[in-house]
Amino acid sequence: MLLFFILGLLVHFVFFGSIFDIYFTSPLVHGMTPQLTPLPPPAKRLVLFVADGLRADTLYELDENGNTRAPFIRNIIMHEGSWGISHTRVPTESRPGHVALIAGFYEDVSAVAKGWKENPVGFDSLINESRYTWSWGSPDILTMFAKGASGDHVYAYSYDADNEDFGAQDVTKLDTWVFDNMKEFFHAARNNQSLFSKLNEEKIVFFLHLLGIDTNGHAHRPTSREYKDNIKVVDEGIKEIVSMLEDFYGNDGKTAFIFTSDHGMTDWGFHGAGHPSETLTPFVTWGAGIKYPQRVSAQKFDDAFLKEWKLENWKRQDIHQADIAPLMASLIGVPFPLNSVGILPVDYLNNTDLFKAESMFTNAVQILEQFKVKMTQKKEATLPFFFTPFKLLSESKQLNILRKARSYIKQRKYDEAVSLCKELIQLALKGLSYYHTYDRFFLGINVVLGFVGWTSYASLLIIRSHSSFTRGVSKEVKKPSHLLSCSFIAVGVLVAFFLLIQDCPWTYYIYCLLPVPIWYAVLREFQVIQDFVISLLTFPPSQLAGYLFIFTLGIEVLVLSFFYRYMLTAGLIAFACWPFITQLWTRAKSISLSWIFFSLLLAVFPLMPVVGRKPDIFLVIGAGSLVLLLSLCVLTSLIKRKDRFINEELLLHLFQMLSIVLSMCVVYSTHHSLLKKQGLPFLNQIISWIILASSFVLPLLSPTSLFERLFSILLSWMSAYLLLSTGYEALFPLVLSCLMFVWIRMEQETLQQSGVSYRQKSQGYLCCHKSIHEFDHKVTSLQFTCNLDITQFRHLYLDDIRRAFFLVFFLVTAFFGTGNIASVNSFDLASVYCFLTVFSPYMMGALMMWKILIPFVLVMCAFEAVQLTTQLSSKSLFLMVLIISDIMALHFFFLVKDYGSWLEIGTSISHYVIVMSMTIVLMLLNGLAHLLTTKKLELYGKPKSHLI
C-alpha cells in the first residue's frame, strides 16, 4: 500500500510538471550577435520610473471631484510627451514584469516559482547593454538585474527588506526613500569628479523602482485612500527628480523619461493572473527622441477608457510590455537586448524617417537572429527525416525580405521599409513560436498515454482486489508471459535510443518512458480485464448506459464548478434530495433532516461574493462565538454521557476553547491595530504562531473515540482558521464539519439499509466501548485505531462509487466554498496579517495554502470515519477518489492553452494547477488525516492505551 502511494505520488508530480515542459518552457536561446542601429541616438541618458503594482485606470482617471491624482504626469500627457496602455502578460508578478520591461521577453509561467531575487537563467537586458546603470528601490528587484549583468557597471542602492511591511504606518516611505537617495546621490556627484564624469557619459540608465503603491495595494486594496494618495506622492517625487536632472544637466535636452508599471492589481489587492486590472498598466514617455502630444478628433479603441479618463482628444498609443525594451535601447543607442521579442513602437519616436527605418531594420535582424538559432538547434536535435521546417520563412525568403528592406531604405521609401520589417518580425516571431512548441504534440501524446494508463491500472487494482466482478479469477498476480515482458523492454529501449540520438532533455525521457511500465502493469492484468468485460456483458445495456451517464454527468459537474461556482450549489441541492431517493427519509428522519439542512446551508457559500470583498471582522468573531457555543453543548453532553470524565480530557477541551477565545481576540486586536496603522502587535504575532503550532498537537491528546477525536480536530483547526479569516469564510469550516458529522451517520444508515452485516474481526479493527455485534451501534462508540486498513472486510458495491464521488465533491467545495476562484490571483494577503505583515512571498504563500488545506483536512478526517462506519478498505475507496480526480485533471490538461486573451491563458493554467495540486495533496492529506485520527499522545509518561 505504501509503495503504491509513493509511486502514485511520483507519477502525479510528473503529470503536474508536464504542462510547464509542454506549454511554458523558457523561450531563451543563446548565440546571437548584438544588433545596433548605425545612427546617432537622440538621448544620452534614460530615466526609467517603474511604479510597482500601479493600475492604468487608477492613474489616468479623475477623482470624485474631477481632479487628477497625478497632475505632473497629466501635464506630460497633454503638453510634453506620448502616452498609452502597456499590456502585460501572465504571470503578472514583479519579476516577470521587470524582465519584460528591461529585457524585452516574457518569462515562462514557472519563473514565478524560481524566485523573486535572482535570475533563474542568464539573459541579456538593457541594463547589461548600458555603459552605466544606477538603480534605487526594492532589494528583490534590483538584486536580480545587478547579478544578471556582466561587468561592474551596474550600481544598486536599496533599502532593507524589512521595510516592506504591509502593516506599517506609512509605506509611502519606500518611494520617498528612493527619491531622497537619488537626490543625495546627485548632490554628492557635484563634489566627486570621477562620479561626475561617469554621469556625463552617453548610454547611461537611471532606474527607479517604486514599491509603495504595490505595498499599499496589498495592504489596503487599490480602491483605498492610501493607494490613491501614494500615486500623488509618486507624481510629486517624479516632478522633483525631473527638475533636478534638468538642472544637473543644464537642460541639454538629451534625457529621455519613461514612466510605467510592471503589473496592475485586482480590486482585492492581488496579482498574478490575467484579469484586465492586472494586465493593463500605464505608459507615459517624454523627453529626448519622444513625440510631443498629438491632438485627435477620434480614436479607434473598443473600450470606454478614453471618455472615462477625459483623454479622448490626446492620441493614445498602446504597446506590449516587451516593446518598451527596444524603445529604450533605440533612444540611448545601445544594442537591442539579445533575447528581446519586443517590436519597436516607431510611432513614439520623434526622429527622422531614416532613423525609424534603420531602427526597425535592426529590430527585425535582431529577432531574426533568434529565429535562426532556434531553427538550427531544433534541426540539429532532430533526425533529418523527422524534421519539418517552418515553411513561411525559408532561408531564401529571409534574404529576399532583408534585401528588399535595405533597398527601400536606400530609395528613401522609409514607410515601405518599416512595413516590410514589421512583416519580417511577425514571421520570425511565428517561427520562434513554431520551433518553441515543436515537440508539444509528441509530449502531449505521451502524457495522455501515461494519464490513461495510470487511471486504467488503478481501476484494475480495484476490480481485482476489492470487487466481486472477478470471482472466478485468482486474486494472486500471475507471472506475466515472457513475450510481454520482452516486448515492453524492447519498446523502452527503442524509445530511449530515439530520444538519445536526438539529444533530448532529461525530462523527455520521463514523459516518454513513464507510459511503458504503466501499460505493462495494465496488460499483465489481461485476465482481469477479460473477466470484467464478461461481467459487464451480463448487465442490461440500458442499465449500463444509465450508470455511465450518471458517472459522466457527475464528472462534468465537478469540471464545470471550476468555471461556474453555482454548479456546486446545484450539486449540494441535489445532495439534499438524497434521503428521499434512497428511502432514508422513512428510516432515519432526524438524521435526514440534519443532512438536508446542512446541505442547503453549505450550498449558500458558493453563491457568496468571491475574494475581493471587504474584511468583516464581526463575521469572524461570530463564527468563533458559534464554535464556543457548540463546544459548551458538546462538553455538557460528554459529561452527562460518560460515567467519569477524565481531568485531562476536560482540561484539553477547556484549553481548546481558550484557543478559540484567544484567536477571536487576536483577530479583533490586529484588525484595529492595522486600521490605526500601528503595525502588527508583537504579542498578537507570538500568540498566533503558538495557536497554529498547537493545532497540530492538541488533537493527538484527545481520546480516539470517533466523535471526540473529530470534534477535537475541529476545535484546534478552527482556532487557526479564525486567525487566517477576514470575513464569511470563517463560518465555512463549521458548517462543513457539521455536514461531515451527519454524512458519517448517513453512510452508516445507508449500509444498514443495504443489508451488509456488521462483522467484527478477531483482532478488533473497530473497537467499541461496549461489546456490540449488531450494526445499529452509535457512531460515538467507535474508536479510531492505528490499524485502519480493513482490506477485504467486504467487496465494493456501486454505492461505494457514490461515496468516492461525494468525497471529491466535498473537497472541491472545500476550495471554492471559501470564496476562492480558480485563479492564482484569488487569495487575499490580509488573511496572513495576524502572523506577519513584512513582505515574505514564500511564508505568506505557505500560510495561505494552509488556510485552503484546513477544510480539506476536515473532509479527509471525516472520510477516515466513513471508512470505519462502512467497513470498507481505505485503499479501494481512496483509489476510486484518485481515478475521479485524474479524469478531471485530464479534462483540464486538454483545456490548457497559451493563446487567446491572457485572462483565458491564466485561468486555464490555474485550473490544471489546482486540480493536479488537489490530487497530489490528497495523497499527502490521506496520511495526515490518518495520523490525526489514530495517533494518541499521552502526557505525564502514561502508557499508550490503543485498542487494536
Side-chain angles (χ1 to χ4, degrees):
M1 177 71 173
L2 180 61
L3 179 62
F4 174 80
F5 283 125
I6 291 174
L7 290 174
L9 199 60
L10 292 174
V11 167
H12 282 83
F13 271 119
V14 172
F15 293 156
F16 178 81
S18 64
I19 64 159
F20 296 106
D21 261 330
I22 296 173
Y23 291 95
F24 305 105
T25 52
S26 176
L28 295 185
V29 290
H30 300 283
M32 297 80 67
T33 54
Q35 302 296 322
L36 179 64
T37 304
L39 295 174
K44 287 185 176 180
R45 64 200 73 91
L46 173 83
V47 185
L48 174 62
F49 301 97
V50 178
D52 202 305
L54 177 59
R55 291 165 47 150
D57 57 349
T58 314
L59 176 73
Y60 292 140
E61 69 186 5
L62 303 178
D63 62 20
E64 55 275 7
N65 298 319
N67 300 320
T68 176
R69 299 188 183 95
F72 179 74
I73 295 296
R74 188 86 171 190
N75 181 68
I76 293 293
I77 293 172
M78 294 181 174
H79 301 101
E80 294 187 38
S82 297
W83 76 287
I85 291 177
S86 169
H87 296 262
T88 71
R89 288 194 182 184
V90 175
T92 46
E93 294 288 348
S94 292
R95 178 195 156 70
H98 281 88
V99 168
L101 279 171
I102 298 173
F105 74 92
Y106 302 105
E107 285 191 302
D108 58 289
V109 176
S110 60
V112 179
K114 294 177 182 176
W116 275 258
K117 300 184 179 181
E118 293 185 19
N119 298 322
V121 289
F123 58 85
D124 192 25
S125 70
L126 175 82
I127 288 176
N128 189 49
E129 295 290 353
S130 67
R131 181 162 294 163
Y132 293 107
T133 292
W134 288 271
S135 56
W136 294 265
S138 166
D140 299 337
I141 299 301
L142 303 190
T143 305
M144 70 178 185
F145 284 104
K147 289 186 177 180
S150 59
D152 57 355
H153 64 286
V154 179
Y155 306 95
Y157 305 93
S158 59
Y159 40 75
D160 192 275
D162 290 341
N163 290 339
E164 300 173 18
D165 188 348
F166 298 132
Q169 185 170 2
D170 183 16
V171 296
T172 59
K173 64 185 180 183
L174 299 176
D175 297 336
T176 55
W177 184 96
V178 171
F179 297 132
D180 292 343
N181 275 263
M182 187 174 181
K183 292 174 190 174
E184 292 173 9
F185 172 81
F186 273 87
H187 179 74
R190 294 183 182 275
N191 301 316
N192 186 327
Q193 187 58 42
S194 174
L195 178 58
F196 187 83
S197 62
K198 287 182 180 178
L199 289 172
N200 279 281
E201 292 201 35
E202 298 178 344
K203 304 178 181 180
I204 62 174
V205 175
F206 301 107
F207 172 34
L208 289 79
H209 176 246
L210 308 167
L211 188 63
I213 292 174
D214 183 75
T215 307
N216 263 318
H218 286 309
H220 306 288
R221 291 173 169 74
T223 54
S224 66
R225 179 178 57 82
E226 290 82 359
Y227 184 89
K228 295 173 181 177
D229 286 348
N230 204 152
I231 295 175
K232 297 178 182 178
V233 171
V234 167
D235 181 72
E236 184 62 30
I238 292 174
K239 178 182 177 181
E240 293 174 3
I241 293 298
V242 170
S243 176
M244 179 200 70
L245 289 172
E246 288 177 347
D247 178 62
F248 185 88
Y249 288 109
N251 294 301
D252 64 354
K254 292 294 183 180
T255 308
F257 299 92
I258 287 179
F259 173 69
T260 187
S261 175
D262 54 348
H263 57 75
M265 189 174 289
T266 61
D267 290 339
W268 53 93
F270 213 82
H271 52 84
H275 192 274
S277 61
E278 301 167 86
T279 60
L280 302 183
T281 59
F283 180 75
V284 182
T285 181
W286 68 99
I290 298 298
K291 274 187 179 178
Y292 290 101
Q294 302 170 67
R295 292 187 69 91
V296 292
S297 57
Q299 302 192 58
K300 295 180 180 179
F301 286 99
D302 295 333
D303 53 59
F305 292 143
L306 288 168
K307 287 187 178 180
E308 292 176 12
W309 301 338
K310 308 297 181 185
L311 290 171
E312 60 267 34
N313 295 325
W314 282 267
K315 187 176 181 180
R316 166 184 156 189
Q317 301 176 70
D318 287 10
I319 61 172
H320 295 291
Q321 193 172 50
D323 299 342
I324 298 173
L327 175 63
M328 294 190 294
S330 177
L331 288 171
I332 59 173
V334 298
F336 288 20
L338 294 174
N339 305 112
S340 172
V341 294
I343 303 174
L344 178 65
V346 289
D347 290 339
Y348 272 95
L349 294 176
N350 181 21
N351 213 315
T352 64
D353 290 339
L354 173 61
F355 182 85
K356 295 178 184 179
E358 286 287 0
S359 298
M360 204 71 212
F361 186 84
T362 304
N363 192 189
V365 172
Q366 172 258 325
I367 293 177
L368 185 62
E369 281 282 311
Q370 295 182 71
F371 168 79
K372 289 179 179 179
V373 171
K374 193 82 171 178
M375 181 183 69
T376 302
Q377 289 178 352
K378 186 53 62 181
K379 191 173 183 178
E380 290 175 350
T382 307
L383 295 174
F385 47 87
F386 282 130
F387 180 70
T388 306
F390 182 63
K391 296 178 181 178
L392 295 179
L393 192 57
S394 62
E395 190 171 346
S396 60
K397 189 168 185 178
Q398 298 171 32
L399 294 172
N400 184 46
I401 293 177
L402 289 173
R403 278 197 298 262
K404 200 171 182 180
R406 178 52 66 191
S407 175
Y408 280 146
I409 293 174
K410 288 180 179 178
Q411 297 171 27
R412 298 186 179 182
K413 296 180 179 179
Y414 301 121
D415 290 341
E416 290 86 344
V418 168
S419 178
L420 197 59
C421 288
K422 286 183 178 180
E423 180 187 340
L424 178 58
I425 288 174
Q426 292 298 338
L427 287 172
L429 290 175
K430 286 181 181 178
L432 274 171
S433 177
Y434 173 80
Y435 288 117
H436 186 59
T437 60
Y438 191 84
D439 297 326
R440 178 171 297 179
F441 180 75
F442 170 69
L443 292 176
I445 287 293
N446 281 278
V447 171
V448 170
L449 282 173
F451 251 121
V452 175
W454 169 260
T455 306
S456 302
Y457 180 63
S459 303
L460 289 173
L461 281 181
I462 295 174
I463 294 167
R464 178 168 59 83
S465 303
H466 305 285
S467 75
S468 57
F469 286 115
T470 57
R471 288 175 181 172
V473 179
S474 173
K475 300 295 179 183
E476 296 181 6
V477 179
K478 293 183 179 180
K479 188 176 180 180
S481 68
H482 187 66
L483 178 62
L484 183 66
S485 304
C486 291
S487 299
F488 273 89
I489 291 172
V491 169
V493 170
L494 286 173
V495 170
F497 180 72
F498 175 76
L499 297 173
L500 183 64
I501 60 178
Q502 296 198 101
D503 195 27
C504 292
W506 64 270
T507 51
Y508 282 36
Y509 289 84
I510 297 176
Y511 303 137
C512 297
L513 290 175
L514 183 62
V516 177
I518 290 178
W519 279 102
Y520 171 71
V522 171
L523 293 182
R524 70 185 293 189
E525 302 288 350
F526 178 75
Q527 189 62 46
V528 177
I529 298 172
Q530 188 180 43
D531 196 67
F532 178 63
V533 171
I534 293 171
S535 299
L536 286 181
L537 292 176
T538 62
F539 280 84
S542 58
Q543 186 179 3
L544 197 61
Y547 287 143
L548 186 61
F549 173 76
I550 293 171
F551 180 78
T552 304
L553 180 64
I555 295 290
E556 292 305 317
V557 167
L558 289 171
V559 170
L560 286 172
S561 67
F562 280 69
F563 299 93
Y564 312 104
R565 294 173 69 227
Y566 58 78
M567 293 301 295
L568 294 172
T569 298
L572 287 166
I573 292 172
F575 282 9
C577 301
W578 177 37
F580 302 105
I581 298 171
T582 58
Q583 298 181 345
L584 282 170
W585 175 255
T586 57
R587 290 180 54 87
K589 279 196 175 181
S590 60
I591 298 297
S592 297
L593 280 172
S594 300
W595 171 263
I596 294 168
F597 173 74
F598 286 114
S599 293
L600 294 177
L601 189 58
L602 193 66
V604 174
F605 285 90
L607 299 178
M608 300 291 281
V610 296
V611 286
R613 59 194 181 272
K614 292 183 178 179
D616 192 339
I617 299 304
F618 292 105
L619 283 176
V620 181
I621 302 300
S625 302
L626 286 175
V627 174
L628 284 177
L629 183 61
L630 182 62
S631 300
L632 288 172
C633 295
V634 170
L635 183 61
T636 305
S637 173
L638 288 174
I639 292 174
K640 288 181 180 179
R641 186 171 55 82
K642 287 196 172 187
D643 297 332
R644 56 187 182 87
F645 201 78
I646 302 173
N647 288 335
E648 287 82 355
E649 295 179 19
L650 179 61
L651 285 173
L652 174 64
H653 202 96
L654 292 175
F655 187 80
Q656 289 179 312
M657 292 174 66
L658 177 63
S659 295
I660 296 290
V661 174
L662 284 174
S663 294
M664 293 162 60
C665 293
V666 167
V667 167
Y668 184 82
S669 171
T670 300
H671 177 71
H672 283 275
S673 178
L674 294 177
L675 280 180
K676 296 176 183 177
K677 297 185 179 179
Q678 295 176 350
L680 170 61
F682 182 69
L683 180 61
N684 289 14
Q685 190 176 22
I686 294 296
I687 293 173
S688 297
W689 284 106
I690 290 174
I691 290 174
L692 180 64
S694 66
S695 66
F696 293 90
V697 180
L698 293 180
L700 303 181
L701 299 173
S702 64
T704 56
S705 61
L706 188 146
F707 179 78
E708 289 183 62
R709 174 56 66 94
L710 289 180
F711 193 75
S712 178
I713 292 170
L714 171 62
L715 282 183
S716 292
W717 289 45
M718 266 301 295
S719 60
Y721 196 86
L722 290 174
L723 294 170
L724 293 164
S725 299
T726 60
Y728 74 81
E729 79 271 21
L731 294 163
F732 180 77
L734 179 60
V735 177
L736 179 66
S737 296
C738 290
L739 183 60
M740 292 299 99
F741 280 115
V742 179
W743 182 34
I744 296 166
R745 283 301 305 270
M746 288 287 285
E747 293 294 358
Q748 188 185 36
E749 294 290 342
T750 302
L751 201 66
Q752 183 182 12
Q753 179 182 321
S754 66
V756 178
S757 61
Y758 176 74
R759 293 177 296 161
Q760 202 167 3
K761 292 274 185 175
S762 58
Q763 296 199 353
Y765 288 110
L766 298 175
C767 299
C768 303
H769 287 296
K770 298 179 181 180
S771 176
I772 317 171
H773 297 281
E774 308 87 24
F775 181 77
D776 57 346
H777 59 280
K778 292 183 179 179
V779 172
T780 51
S781 65
L782 294 177
Q783 294 266 349
F784 287 112
T785 65
C786 293
N787 195 359
L788 195 62
D789 188 7
I790 49 177
T791 306
Q792 296 192 20
F793 214 61
R794 67 173 176 82
H795 282 305
L796 289 175
Y797 298 99
L798 285 174
D799 209 29
D800 294 320
I801 299 176
R802 191 261 313 152
R803 292 185 177 97
F805 176 79
F806 270 27
L807 174 63
V808 177
F809 191 93
F810 286 136
L811 288 171
V812 174
T813 305
F815 181 79
F816 292 108
T818 55
N820 299 309
I821 55 176
S823 176
V824 293
N825 71 355
S826 60
F827 309 112
D828 188 357
L829 286 180
S831 301
V832 305
Y833 287 170
C834 287
F835 295 89
L836 75 165
T837 54
V838 176
F839 180 63
S840 176
Y842 295 115
M843 182 61 70
M844 288 178 164
L847 287 169
M848 286 189 286
M849 285 298 103
W850 190 242
K851 178 184 178 181
I852 291 171
L853 291 179
I854 287 175
F856 278 47
V857 174
L858 295 176
V859 174
M860 290 303 296
C861 289
F863 181 54
E864 288 282 316
V866 167
Q867 293 175 68
L868 283 176
T869 58
T870 57
Q871 312 151 45
L872 186 61
S873 163
S874 60
K875 178 182 176 181
S876 59
L877 205 53
F878 189 70
L879 279 175
M880 285 192 292
V881 170
L882 282 185
I883 289 168
I884 295 172
S885 300
D886 285 342
I887 293 172
M888 289 174 60
L890 195 57
H891 268 73
F892 289 116
F893 179 81
F894 286 114
L895 292 174
V896 172
K897 58 172 70 173
D898 61 350
Y899 58 88
S901 73
W902 288 108
L903 178 60
E904 293 171 337
I905 294 170
T907 302
S908 72
I909 300 166
S910 300
H911 286 164
Y912 184 76
V913 168
I914 289 169
V915 75
M916 282 306 301
S917 299
M918 189 178 75
T919 306
I920 292 171
V921 168
L922 196 58
M923 294 182 171
L924 301 175
L925 290 185
N926 188 56
L928 178 60
H930 183 70
L931 174 71
L932 285 171
T933 53
T934 60
K935 296 298 179 183
K936 179 77 165 70
L937 295 179
E938 296 287 350
L939 298 179
Y940 313 115
K942 291 183 179 181
K944 293 183 179 181
S945 57
H946 286 309
L947 296 175
I948 299 178

